[in-house]
Amino acid sequence: MKNIVYFFSVILLYTNSLSGQEQVTAINMVSTPNGIYADLNNIDFGNKSYVVLRKENQQAEYQPVLQHDPVRSAKELGKRINDLLFYMPESSPLSDSTVNMLWSYWHNPETQIEFVTAPAPHLKLYVGLAFLDTSVALGKSYDYIIENEDGDRYNGSVVHRLDTIDFTAMRSFDVDPGEGYPELRFHSSIVNGAPSFEVYRKVSGGFDDFEKIHTTKGMVLNETQDSVIYFTQDTTVLQSVRYDYFIRGKDLMGNLGIASDTVSLQVGGNRNVNAGFNINTAAVDRGIRITWDSLDQRFSLQNIVIYKSADYDTGYALLAKLPVTDTEYIDYDVIGGTDYYYQVLIQGESNMSFASARTSGLYQGVVNLVPPHSVRGEIIDGKPGLSWMHQDSLHVDGYYVYRAVGRNGELQQVSNMIPYEKDSVTTFLDSTATDAGEVFYYGITAVSKTQSLSPMSELIAISIPESKNHRMSAPDRLQAIWMDRNRVSITWRDMDRWEGSIDHYNVYRKLKDSAEFPKEPVATVEINEFVDTLRANDMYDYAVQSVSIHENQSALSTAISIERIPDKLLPPLKVRVMENKGKVYLTWDGSETQIEKYHIYRVVNTDPPVLYKTLDGNLTAIEDTDIKQGNNYLYYVACVDQDEMESDWSEEVIYSP
């Protein structure tokens, strides 16, 4: 009641003293779809009570429309933010930690000025550096006076009409009808570019007007950082219907800019699927290998289809359907000495490519070869070198060399075919092996003149020596994922796949405020993951170090900061007060969540609330033994978790003896 009396007493003072004010500061006022926005941008106004008076041009007297009181707590700031979300386009609720951060910034003299000049207008609304008058009508002209408790005064005038914002022109540059959903891209200069946008659509050739649609959209900067790319994928379209589209920029208050150019497209069935290219065949062990170039339009394709026939002109039958990422297929259903013909087609979502050129393949039969022997390995100029011999001079055409990284690695071909030289030792230098300290395993197969392969030779191990001053690369791509309320998983890129010869990782941890990491690691792990347990409000920095099998150490990785922000419990439900045989009891419903204890607050008449009692978390009732006739009693109950964090108070209950 005191606040209401003060409000109208201030209004009376203002309306009686308008003509006596001499020093008045003008403010900028803008029309928005939700009302008139005024930017005070004055720190004194945000920290003091002020009143907003308004009149239409034809009216003689100003009338009060708004009153601002300074924000007194982070909790009150959070409530104001939630109350204003309805009026703020592109806004979303803020977490408790973000609200607490804004509250601390508002009271920190070193960051106040940066906060006041923040570009987002809703940040100013939360603390009173701006106001939004939602009770105005379009087309009318208004005069305003704003005066605070010290007599400082602002004024402003505005006609409430929604003018178009002059953003930089937005132009289309990529329209893809797609096989399923169309994708559109527009761009504009980053200078005065719109911070958001809306998408409009209508069926081409119809009499309906454009309507705003809600679909997938986003914004990015281009590589040179001088243009904004606006992109959208319309997931609400119908196949084979032609649509017209345009977009409009939108500022943070919901005001719209000029429309972009209009683009037209028909969805699905119109994209050309390219045919397979560079189809080749080769005889291999027990079959014919068909190869082709990798495909570019994988996002619009379904399958690679191969047809086969024993006759060039007729009789083609389906041989295989393959994923669009494949580039080869081996046909094992062949007879030695027989010619076969193959065609490759690419299947899209609604159409098929033209058939590729017909390609022939001849399988000449299996030749049983013995593997190479006398395989030797050595380091030559810092690279692994191999030598071997073979006793079959009649059927051998050459050799393939295979390599595996580490004992459990997969053997992969690392050479082209190495020609056979009669009565001589064959050699190979592996110039692609660069991982110092890693152990490589090599094997060789002989290749017949019909592309049959011999069994693998014996495997030999070769290790490139690692210098003592060899510097390992520091781990990167550190990220944290919470496994539950207390445990966090920290992962990083598996450096063993890139560096090779990684033996283990050292994990270092320090308090957030500490200047340096300790000399000893908090843990040593063999895989690229570390799980740590944090208590409430713990704040740590983590860094990781690679260690090779030769004990060479990398530098520490870039640190990652992790803070455990405990979840606040919900307040108790259904708090009740009852009297039984002259005794007063306070009860409430229990919770499935683990609760450490309850705080019971009591208010006697108009006294402030006090903590009356603390109760164990497995109890849900308490007796009040200090009741006096003639008093009114108000009760609140709050939950407290094991980290001593208290929930919000429950709804109040009243008892009057």
Side-chain angles (χ1 to χ4, degrees), residues 379-384 433 464-465:
I379 296 298
I380 302 175
D381 296 331
K383 301 293 182 182
I464 301 177

Side-chain angles (χ1 to χ4, degrees), residues 179 271-277 293-298 300-301 303-304 344-348 351-356:
E179 292 288 344
R271 171 181 288 160
N272 292 323
V273 179
N274 294 332
F277 183 71
D293 287 355
S294 61
L295 307 179
D296 294 329
Q297 298 183 13
R298 295 178 183 174
S300 65
L301 306 179
N303 297 294
I304 296 174
V344 177
L345 288 84
I346 314 302
Q347 181 182 5
N351 52 349
M352 190 81 74
S353 74
F354 291 107
S356 68

Side-chain angles (χ1 to χ4, degrees), residues 37-336:
Y37 171 79
D39 191 344
L40 304 175
N41 204 25
N42 186 319
I43 198 70
D44 292 333
F45 269 75
N47 282 325
K48 296 175 182 177
S49 296
Y50 63 79
V51 66
V52 179
L53 303 139
R54 185 192 74 200
K55 75 178 183 69
E56 294 183 31
N57 275 355
Q58 65 272 23
Q59 293 177 335
E61 298 292 335
Y62 283 85
Q63 300 294 327
V65 290
L66 292 169
Q67 178 177 336
H68 164 75
D69 292 317
V71 183
R72 297 180 177 85
S73 66
K75 183 177 181 180
E76 182 179 344
L77 177 59
K79 183 178 183 304
R80 291 192 184 186
I81 291 173
N82 289 330
D83 291 343
L84 285 166
L85 285 178
F86 176 78
Y87 302 104
M88 298 293 107
E90 314 297 334
S91 295
S92 59
L94 303 182
S95 64
D96 289 344
S97 60
T98 303
V99 173
N100 290 332
M101 179 189 68
L102 293 175
W103 174 248
S104 64
Y105 281 0
W106 181 240
H107 288 281
N108 186 346
E110 296 180 359
T111 58
Q112 256 183 8
I113 300 303
E114 295 181 9
F115 182 76
V116 170
T117 58
H122 50 281
L123 296 181
K124 299 183 181 181
L125 283 172
Y126 300 155
V127 294
L129 298 181
F131 68 82
L132 183 67
D133 185 1
T134 61
S135 62
V136 291
L138 283 173
K140 292 188 177 182
S141 178
Y142 297 95
D143 295 327
Y144 287 86
I145 287 182
I146 306 95
E147 188 168 348
N148 66 12
E149 60 192 49
D150 294 337
D152 301 325
R153 179 181 293 182
Y154 284 0
N155 73 355
S157 298
V158 64
V159 177
H160 186 33
R161 59 173 180 261
L162 300 180
D163 295 326
T164 301
I165 303 299
D166 186 20
F167 292 129
T168 303
M170 308 164 77
R171 296 184 175 89
S172 62
F173 73 94
D174 186 11
V175 180
D176 183 359
E179 292 288 344
Y181 304 121
E183 296 182 1
L184 301 92
R185 289 177 174 82
F186 298 77
H187 70 94
S188 73
S189 170
I190 197 172
V191 180
N192 197 28
S196 181
F197 69 100
E198 293 182 348
V199 184
Y200 294 83
R201 183 192 73 192
K202 78 178 183 69
V203 176
S204 298
F207 296 101
D208 295 334
D209 292 332
F210 280 94
E211 293 183 352
K212 182 172 69 173
I213 62 172
H214 301 280
T215 186
T216 304
K217 63 180 182 177
M219 298 167 51
V220 294
L221 295 179
N222 65 346
E223 293 182 358
T224 56
Q225 305 288 301
D226 59 3
S227 294
V228 184
I229 308 299
Y230 307 90
F231 59 89
T232 180
Q233 182 183 58
D234 187 358
T235 59
T236 64
V237 295
L238 299 176
Q239 293 290 314
S240 301
V241 176
R242 175 166 289 276
Y243 293 97
D244 296 335
Y245 293 88
F246 70 85
I247 67 172
R248 295 185 69 179
K250 183 171 65 173
D251 69 8
L252 293 169
M253 296 301 297
N255 294 303
L256 294 173
I258 299 172
S260 70
D261 57 322
T262 300
V263 297
S264 181
L265 58 87
Q266 181 173 333
V267 182
N270 292 323
R271 171 181 288 160
N272 292 323
V273 179
N274 294 332
F277 183 71
N278 199 20
I279 314 299
N280 291 291
T281 60
V284 296
D285 190 24
R286 299 187 301 279
I288 298 175
R289 176 189 284 121
I290 307 106
T291 61
W292 55 89
D293 287 355
S294 61
L295 307 179
D296 294 329
Q297 298 183 13
R298 295 178 183 174
F299 59 88
S300 65
L301 306 179
Q302 295 295 301
N303 297 294
I304 296 174
V305 184
I306 302 178
Y307 288 88
K308 169 187 174 183
S309 175
D311 185 270
Y312 181 82
D313 294 313
T314 61
Y316 284 88
L318 177 65
L319 175 63
K321 278 190 175 183
L322 307 174
V324 295
T325 53
D326 285 5
T327 57
E328 69 172 45
Y329 177 78
I330 297 178
D331 180 11
Y332 292 108
D333 185 17
V334 293
I335 299 174

Side-chain angles (χ1 to χ4, degrees), residues 547-564:
V547 182
S548 75
I549 58 177
H550 299 281
E551 296 299 323
N552 283 331
Q553 298 178 343
S554 74
L556 291 183
S557 68
T558 301
I560 182 175
S561 298
I562 302 176
E563 174 186 1
R564 185 193 156 193

